[in-house]
Amino acid sequence: MGKYVRLGKNAALVFLGSAGAKLMSLFMLPFYTRWLTVADYGSVDLIGIYSGLLLGFVSCTIFDALFIFPKDQPYEKKREYFSSGIGYALMTITGMALICWLVRILGKVNEWYGFVFEYLWLIFGLLAISYVQQVTQQFIRSLDKMLVYSMTGIIQTATSILFSFLLIPRWGIEGYVSSMILGNAVAFVYSMIHSGAYRYLHIRSISRNAVYEMLRYSIPLIPNGLMWFLIGSLNRPVLEIYSGLTAVGLFAVAGRFPNLLNTLYLLFQQAWLISVLEEAKKPTYEQFYNKMLKLVVVGQSLMAVLLAFSGKWIIELFTTSDYYSAWQYIPLLVISVIFMNVATFVGSNFAVTRESKYYFYSTIWSGSASLLLNLAFIPMFSLWGACWAALISQAIGMAMRIKYSWKSVRITGWCFYAHNSLFLFGSIAVCLLLQGTWLMYGLMGAMLTYFYAINRKHIHKTIILLKQYASNIYHH
């Protein structure tokens, strides 16, 4: 039972910070939608997307290696990895700053215009601070400083919110992005000091060999990151081209609520990855893996259906009337998020085997599908096209990850997944097609009864695990 208790403890600590931060940010949505038009909200969403895309290329995703390589290493080796990671980050950020400066000069001379050029320095600022923050955060996870890791999320969000009140009413889009940059900066300082990470930072410990070692692991993840951009974010630039920034803003608001499922799952995933690294070599790993996958599917399916059921009320509660039509896109988006989360869970096996190439092999199918589907569907169906492209491409990515991980660990109990798929798709169809009618309430009651009948054993096991975990915490 120790592995379950440890998993629960790590998940609870990550939940404390990340979920608390996300909820704080969500409760700010009425403030954001009051001061930002739908087009403005689409603009800040695009700034974040372009910053995240460039971050993968500039950093070569070296922060992913800073969780794997320092773990369980002696002090000197940890200091070498962290110092080298920070040194590499500062070098590449400086190079990016010079590129941005040259682009601005060339743009003024040639009279370039466009979204990226207009907000170039905001994109760079968010990229730079996110870069050093992620390097530090992944190293903190490697040190198992989970309490500091969780508190960093709360501090980052709280600081961003404070600056939002001061900056957004006056500067709009620029104020929003600046508040995010300042929040990340404060969180970076906090995490460096309170985790003791600064003790592992020394210029003499910077090692070219350590950088090369980490890059050999992380560079194959760059195409994977590009594919994830094509899967999850390409729809925004395409929507901007064919439907305008207003459509981007509506899609961004609609996606905020399904992304809560992803946020909750990622809290578990960060803790799960620690358990995977510890349990993978044990003979009971496959049984442990399948049990946890079933619990993930049960929990995510139930939350997805409840979110789709209440989506219209939530949108009306958290936004202004200009955003109300966003509710209708939630049901399809929650399904795509579940497919993405299952793919992420299955992909944890690639971290165990250090075969990062399979991240790319599995997502290239999904990314290619996303590229083709977004370009085909959005010009014809606008926001609905973006939703269907997201759902289908995530389903393909999930299927391919299951295929590539099959040699490491097999998924059992396919009848269980068939029953839960029937519950999920049936309930989503009811919520989408019969929203607000009495027939919807009756059918949803029947679907939830069916859900309990097929998952009674797993629900009871989850309750038992939670009670055991709570008892362990109480006695310690």
Side-chain angles (χ1 to χ4, degrees), residues 20 75 126 138 143 145-146 153 185 226 317 320 331 408 457:
Y75 171 80
L126 190 58
Q138 293 302 318
L143 295 177
K145 301 282 187 179
M146 297 304 294
L226 176 60
L317 176 65
T320 60
S408 302
K457 180 175 69 173

Side-chain angles (χ1 to χ4, degrees), residues 172-466:
I173 295 171
E174 291 80 3
Y176 185 102
V177 179
S178 297
S179 67
M180 294 173 62
I181 293 171
L182 292 169
N184 272 280
V186 172
F188 167 71
V189 173
Y190 167 83
S191 59
M192 282 287 288
I193 294 173
H194 286 269
S195 68
Y198 67 90
R199 299 190 184 98
Y200 296 87
L201 194 59
H202 198 286
I203 192 169
R204 293 181 180 176
S205 295
I206 296 176
S207 167
R208 184 178 300 176
N209 290 333
V211 172
Y212 288 161
E213 184 182 2
M214 290 188 288
L215 289 178
R216 277 195 295 270
Y217 172 83
S218 66
I219 284 177
L221 299 177
I222 297 176
N224 177 68
L226 176 60
M227 289 299 106
W228 278 113
F229 170 79
L230 295 177
I231 296 166
S233 302
L234 176 68
N235 43 35
R236 267 69 143 210
V238 179
L239 279 171
E240 181 199 2
I241 294 170
Y242 289 100
S243 304
L245 285 170
T246 298
V248 177
L250 288 174
F251 193 83
V253 168
R256 286 289 293 269
F257 299 95
N259 281 341
L260 284 176
L261 295 178
N262 180 243
T263 298
L264 291 173
Y265 173 74
L266 288 179
L267 308 180
F268 168 83
Q269 175 68 16
Q270 291 165 354
W272 164 247
L273 189 55
I274 296 173
S275 293
V276 166
L277 294 174
E278 295 172 347
E279 300 292 327
K281 295 181 180 179
K282 298 181 180 179
T284 58
Y285 172 66
E286 184 168 309
Q287 181 183 1
F288 178 51
Y289 171 88
N290 276 282
K291 183 179 294 185
M292 297 313 301
L293 177 58
K294 288 177 181 178
L295 293 179
V296 166
V297 169
V298 169
Q300 290 272 299
S301 297
L302 179 59
M303 288 188 289
V305 168
L306 294 177
L307 184 56
F309 176 74
S310 57
K312 187 174 183 179
W313 303 322
I314 293 173
I315 289 289
E316 292 178 356
L317 176 65
F318 280 93
T319 67
T320 60
S321 58
D322 291 340
Y323 294 84
Y324 284 175
S325 61
W327 76 266
Q328 58 195 316
Y329 309 111
I330 292 178
L332 292 182
L333 292 176
V334 294
I335 298 179
S336 69
V337 169
I338 289 181
F339 289 157
M340 177 174 63
N341 292 342
V342 172
T344 303
F345 181 93
V346 174
S348 60
N349 291 297
F350 307 148
V352 170
T353 59
R354 295 197 177 184
E355 294 178 307
S356 54
K357 61 184 179 181
Y358 287 123
Y359 287 113
F360 175 63
Y361 292 167
S362 56
T363 54
I364 192 172
W365 290 92
S366 186
S368 300
S370 178
L371 175 62
L372 295 174
L373 293 172
N374 277 298
L375 293 176
F377 288 177
I378 290 177
M380 291 189 294
F381 307 113
S382 189
L383 286 165
W384 285 111
C387 292
W388 279 109
L391 189 153
I392 296 170
S393 59
Q394 294 289 4
I396 292 172
M398 178 186 68
M400 297 310 297
R401 288 212 169 172
I402 290 173
K403 175 185 175 181
Y404 286 120
S405 67
W406 199 258
K407 67 175 185 178
S408 302
V409 58
R410 294 177 176 240
I411 296 175
T412 59
W414 289 100
C415 185
F416 161 85
Y417 297 107
H419 283 296
N420 276 278
S421 296
L422 178 62
F423 163 75
L424 177 62
F425 284 98
S427 299
I428 294 298
V430 168
C431 293
L432 186 60
L433 300 176
L434 301 174
Q435 182 65 232
T437 65
W438 285 107
L439 181 58
M440 180 190 75
Y441 297 111
L443 290 175
M444 283 304 301
M447 294 301 293
L448 289 171
T449 302
Y450 173 70
F451 174 81
Y452 178 76
I454 61 176
N455 294 304
R456 182 170 61 248
K457 180 175 69 173
H458 300 287
I459 293 171
H460 290 172
K461 283 183 178 180
T462 302
I463 294 173
I464 291 172
L465 285 173
L466 290 174

